């Protein structure tokens, strides 16, 4: 949890530099369906059940590249490299004929609409104030992702980054007659190109089993590319999802003399002034800690209330409690237990005092510094002791099945995340889950192209 000092609102150096690339895409005639070869990002796949489901969906599902399965890490990474090479030689994956940026759209059945731009972004250090991280990372995950990228020489899935556009006003709701949806009224720059492009026929369109529809367009016109790039040079971005992959990009850049393709990494940039992201929590599964033992260790330091209600109602109670202070839901024994109102003395003894108040009062800070480190003695970076799971119901189900403890979190607001990032303050690892996340498998980047 590093405190690097404040970052500038406007970067001291040039801003975002997004570069066209020749995207690798599935040939729809060589796979069962585009939906069947996609996957959530590697760290969202619930293992083993979700992994097996994706592997059986299609023999060419992207999960065979992003989460290869074998007996050793070296064998897994070699398997991914061999699989990628074979799919390229067989024409399952093929490179687009000319470099471009890609407009990417996601919609769900509830009316959510998100559009952004996929491209190769020049890498920068946090101290440059161009790309702002907001979470700590785990070294073993960076090592794992770096070995996979070295073996495949590819960026297999885009990170999700956000930036704040120039205030042309929010886009129209889907189905409205407002000019924002058609691209008028959004001035010039990246937003204008995105909206104009989205009126054309897409390169691909598919609907995945989670109900999201996905569309992708290539932007290759030199004037459109210049309009996007000129606009983005005035902006900084927040890493919404993909801190470990960004840290991996930086590690691999350091291993290759510049200039090289490793100076860039594959990202999706979303303008949250037009398309606000949803912010959800990432939950913890404590493998070897039964709920009874977890609660016993908290007695006297937290208020504990048992809730014999369904999960949605329990989450409502958590939200209400979290509006008043630090609060968590513990599960795994067939009930939910609201844990809130921590002892001020306990917090003062366990929370570092040299950080901003917004950081010291985060639920994730209290969880890691007070509960994991001090009360339960659980190492936060040990896969044998703790798992980080995005899906709430899946976290509870695995805790009940394994006899462990699920710690359910309430999400933090995006403005808190961005504020801390601009101050150079990183939150505890896996503090937030921004979404919707880009589907993996729609466009890849091979560094040799």
């Amino acid at each position: 949890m590093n405190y690097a000092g404040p970052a500038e609102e406007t970067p001291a150096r040039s801003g975002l530099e997004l570069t066209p690339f020749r995207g690798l895409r599935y040939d729809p005639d060589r796979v069962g369906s585009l939906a069947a070869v996609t996957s959530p990002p590697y760290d969202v796949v619930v293992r083993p059940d979700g992994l097996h489901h994706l592997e059986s969906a299609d023999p060419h599902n992207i999960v065979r590249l992003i989460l290869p399965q074998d007996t050793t890490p070296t064998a897994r990474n070699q398997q991914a490299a061999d699989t990628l090479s074979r799919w390229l030689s067989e024409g399952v994956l093929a490179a687009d004929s000319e470099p471009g940026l890609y407009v990417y759209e996601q919609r769900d059945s509830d009316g959510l609409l998100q559009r952004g731009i996929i491209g190769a972004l020049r890498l920068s250090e946090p101290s440059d104030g161009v790309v702002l991280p907001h979470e700590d990372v785990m070294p073993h995950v960076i090592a794992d992702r770096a070995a996979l990228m070295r073996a495949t020489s590819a960026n297999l899935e885009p990170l999700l980054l956000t930036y704040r556009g120039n205030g042309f006003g929010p886009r129209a709701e889907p189905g409205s007659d407002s000019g924002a949806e058609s691209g008028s009224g959004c001035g010039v720059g990246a937003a204008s190109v995105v909206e104009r492009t989205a009126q054309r026929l897409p390169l691909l369109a598919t609907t995945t089993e989670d109900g999201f529809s996905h569309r992708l367009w290539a932007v290759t016109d030199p004037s459109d590319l210049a309009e996007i790039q000129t606009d983005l040079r005035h902006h900084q971005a927040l890493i919404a999802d993909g801190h470990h992959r960004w840290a991996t990009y930086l590690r691999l850049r350091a291993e290759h003399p510049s200039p090289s393709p490793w100076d860039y990494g594959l990202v999706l940039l979303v303008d949250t002034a037009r398309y606000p992201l949803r912010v959800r929590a990432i939950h913890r599964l404590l493998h070897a800690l039964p709920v009874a033992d977890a609660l016993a260790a908290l007695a006297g330091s937290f208020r504990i209330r048992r809730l014999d209600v369904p999960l949605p109602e329990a989450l409502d109670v958590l939200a209400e409690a979290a509006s008043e202070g630090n609060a968590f839901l513990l599960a795994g024994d067939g009930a939910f237990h609201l844990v809130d109102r921590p002892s001020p003395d306990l917090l003062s003894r366990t929370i570092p005092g040299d950080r901003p108040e917004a950081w010291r009062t985060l639920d994730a800070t209290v969880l890691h510094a007070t509960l994991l480190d001090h009360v339960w003695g659980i190492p936060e970076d040990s896969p044998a002791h703790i798992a980080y799971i995005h899906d709430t119901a899946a976290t509870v189900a695995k805790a009940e099945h394994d006899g462990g403890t699920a710690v359910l979190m309430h999400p933090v607001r995006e403005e808190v995340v961005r504020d801390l990032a601009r101050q150079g303050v990183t939150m505890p690892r896996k503090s937030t889950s921004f979404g919707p996340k880009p589907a993996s498998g729609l466009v890849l980047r091979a560094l040799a192209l």
Side-chain angles (χ1 to χ4, degrees):
M1 304 176 191
N2 302 317
Y3 179 42
E8 306 242 352
E9 176 76 18
T10 302
R13 50 157 283 181
S14 61
L16 302 168
E17 183 180 326
L18 197 64
T19 301
F21 69 104
R22 291 178 62 201
L24 284 184
R25 297 188 294 110
Y26 281 99
D27 182 342
D29 294 330
R30 294 179 178 267
V31 298
S33 73
L34 290 176
V37 295
T38 64
S39 164
Y42 81 97
D43 58 338
V44 181
V45 177
V46 177
R47 286 160 267 182
D49 295 344
L51 177 64
H52 294 158
H53 174 72
L54 291 165
E55 287 180 327
S56 62
D58 189 285
H60 301 106
N61 189 284
I62 191 67
V63 78
R64 297 179 186 275
L65 299 182
I66 62 175
L67 287 174
Q69 299 300 296
D70 212 315
T71 53
T72 68
T74 300
R76 288 195 293 271
N77 295 327
Q78 187 59 51
Q79 181 186 98
D82 293 344
T83 299
L84 177 58
S85 177
R86 185 174 69 255
W87 289 356
L88 288 169
S89 65
E90 294 173 350
V92 173
L93 286 169
D96 285 332
S97 58
E98 58 181 321
L101 300 175
Y102 296 84
V103 170
Y104 174 47
E105 176 188 279
Q106 295 163 278
R107 292 179 186 257
D108 71 4
S109 57
D110 295 329
L112 180 143
L113 169 64
Q114 177 173 289
R115 289 176 182 152
I117 306 170
I118 295 176
L121 184 69
R122 179 177 285 279
L123 305 179
S124 60
E125 297 292 338
S127 58
D128 294 327
V130 177
V131 175
L132 306 177
H134 71 268
E135 287 185 358
D136 283 341
V137 292
M138 292 175 274
H140 75 274
V141 178
I142 298 171
D144 173 75
R145 292 293 101 184
L148 179 63
M149 288 190 202
R150 286 192 203 99
T152 58
S153 290
N155 299 154
L156 300 172
E157 46 186 348
L159 286 65
L160 175 60
L161 274 60
T162 72
Y163 72 102
R164 301 290 291 179
N166 290 326
F168 297 122
R171 51 86 183 171
E173 291 303 314
S176 80
D177 295 324
S178 162
E181 178 77 5
S182 64
S184 64
C186 60
V188 296
S192 180
V193 177
V194 166
E195 303 306 333
R196 293 198 309 265
T197 302
Q199 304 311 306
R200 306 199 309 254
L201 288 175
L203 287 176
L204 65 85
T206 190
T207 300
T208 46
E209 64 180 5
D210 59 4
F212 272 91
S213 65
H214 308 261
R215 297 198 294 171
L216 190 77
W217 297 261
V219 179
T220 57
D221 180 85
S223 62
D224 285 342
L225 293 173
E227 191 171 345
I228 291 171
Q229 292 170 319
T230 299
D231 182 8
L232 292 179
R233 288 193 188 103
H234 299 285
H235 295 289
Q236 64 182 180
L238 175 74
I239 301 176
D241 185 70
H243 284 80
H244 289 92
R245 282 168 286 166
W246 182 260
T248 300
Y249 287 168
L250 294 177
R251 175 180 292 190
L252 294 173
R253 180 186 66 170
E255 296 175 3
H256 296 82
S258 185
S260 84
W262 298 94
D263 293 338
Y264 299 82
L266 186 64
V267 306
L268 166 65
L269 274 169
V270 174
D271 176 0
T272 53
R274 294 177 66 79
Y275 299 103
L277 271 65
R278 293 172 174 168
V279 186
R280 292 180 172 146
I282 302 176
H283 310 295
R284 276 64 171 163
L285 174 63
L286 311 180
H287 297 297
L289 182 66
V291 174
D293 294 348
L295 293 173
L298 298 176
S301 298
F302 286 77
R303 183 177 69 168
I304 301 172
R305 287 183 285 163
R306 180 184 174 103
L307 307 175
D308 290 301
V309 297
L311 176 58
E313 293 182 31
L315 292 174
D316 288 342
V317 175
L318 174 63
E320 183 178 352
S323 69
E324 300 176 359
N326 300 119
F328 312 92
L329 271 183
L330 272 55
D333 62 351
F336 297 100
H337 305 270
L338 180 69
V339 175
D340 65 350
R341 298 187 183 179
S343 159
D345 177 64
L346 176 63
L347 296 182
S348 67
R349 288 187 287 110
T350 56
I351 303 294
D354 60 345
R355 313 290 169 84
E357 175 74 7
W359 181 90
R360 287 186 284 115
T361 56
L362 288 170
D363 286 339
T365 298
V366 173
L367 173 62
H368 283 255
T370 303
L371 296 181
L372 294 179
D373 293 353
H374 181 80
V375 176
W376 293 328
I378 294 176
E380 62 182 15
D381 58 354
S382 170
H385 292 87
I386 186 170
Y388 298 84
I389 303 177
H390 294 71
D391 185 90
T392 309
T395 311
V396 175
K398 288 182 72 66
E400 292 179 346
H401 179 270
D402 300 342
T405 294
V407 182
L408 306 183
M409 310 278 288
H410 185 69
V412 65
R413 301 189 316 278
E414 180 184 356
E415 55 266 31
V416 173
V417 177
R418 194 176 293 274
D419 254 4
L420 288 172
R422 283 176 172 155
Q423 295 177 63
V425 180
T426 54
M427 299 166 65
R429 57 198 61 175
K430 299 293 184 181
S431 292
T432 60
S433 176
F434 283 84
K437 304 179 190 302
S440 298
L442 296 179
V443 61
L444 293 66
R445 174 178 176 250
L447 275 74
L449 295 176

